[in-house]
Amino acid sequence: MLQSSDNLVTLIPGGGCKIGQMLDLARDITTRFEANFFDMCIIQLGIVDCAPRALPYNARGKIDKFPKPLKQIAIVILHRIKPFIIKRLKYHQFTPIEEFSTKFDALLKAVSTVCRRVVIIGIAPVKDSVIKQSPFIDTEIGRYNEIMSRLAGQ
């Protein structure tokens, strides 16, 4: 998640990290290093936050508590009906765009105190097969990238 070498720090989540976790990490960095300690910081995040989900985050935790065989069946069923749920019912995101915007702004402010230059890597486009399984993900990627671009340009 955090890598530091010479005068470069990278904040690139491994294995699905939400922006709140990245913000906590950035705040920790600002307490450990002096102003302009790093020449550059590279940040890549967002897909975990913006992806349309069939269930809210807390419901996923409840499924995790099911006995293993039942949990596996529930997950298979949910994956099969996920596109239907997302298209026809309300979909959920781990970090709604307003919250993402606020946290991303705070993240930028935190890292800019210890980094001379901050580079943002936007959320990469996804394949058509991903869009088929997660409807609206391409739209959400565009919206979240727009927020990051706008805030990074300030």
Side-chain angles (χ1 to χ4, degrees):
M1 224 156 74
L2 167 69
Q3 296 177 0
S4 177
S5 64
D6 297 322
N7 275 350
L8 169 70
V9 64
T10 57
L11 297 173
I12 299 176
C17 175
K18 295 189 294 184
I19 191 166
Q21 295 164 303
M22 294 289 279
L23 180 55
D24 290 344
L25 182 60
R27 288 179 175 151
D28 183 50
I29 290 169
T30 62
T31 62
R32 291 201 222 171
F33 299 99
E34 60 196 47
N36 294 320
F37 180 83
F38 296 104
D39 290 330
M40 183 185 304
C41 176
I42 300 171
I43 300 173
Q44 179 187 24
L45 54 87
I47 191 71
V48 171
D49 299 289
C50 81
R53 313 280 178 166
L55 297 175
Y57 192 71
N58 60 350
R60 296 165 65 97
K62 290 176 183 175
I63 291 172
D64 279 342
K65 294 177 182 174
F66 287 1
K68 190 172 182 175
L70 184 57
K71 175 183 169 181
Q72 290 172 329
I73 292 168
I75 290 171
V76 167
I77 291 169
L78 281 169
H79 278 282
R80 288 193 179 148
I81 64 171
K82 177 183 173 183
F84 174 82
I85 293 171
I86 290 173
K87 283 181 183 177
R88 292 184 178 72
L89 304 173
K90 179 183 177 187
Y91 64 84
H92 305 272
Q93 294 170 300
F94 284 170
T95 312
I97 197 158
E98 300 81 16
E99 180 185 345
F100 182 85
S101 178
T102 301
K103 288 182 176 179
F104 186 74
D105 190 43
L107 175 66
L108 286 177
K109 287 175 180 164
V111 297
S112 65
T113 63
V114 294
C115 300
R116 289 185 184 91
R117 184 171 170 224
V118 178
V119 175
I120 308 301
I121 300 173
I123 307 167
V126 293
K127 294 180 176 183
D128 288 341
S129 60
V130 174
I131 296 169
K132 185 177 178 183
Q133 184 62 29
S134 290
F136 310 119
I137 192 166
D138 52 338
T139 305
E140 293 303 320
I141 288 172
R143 291 177 62 216
Y144 281 63
N145 276 339
E146 180 358 80
I147 290 289
M148 290 190 286
S149 179
R150 184 173 48 79
L151 292 171
Q154 292 181 1

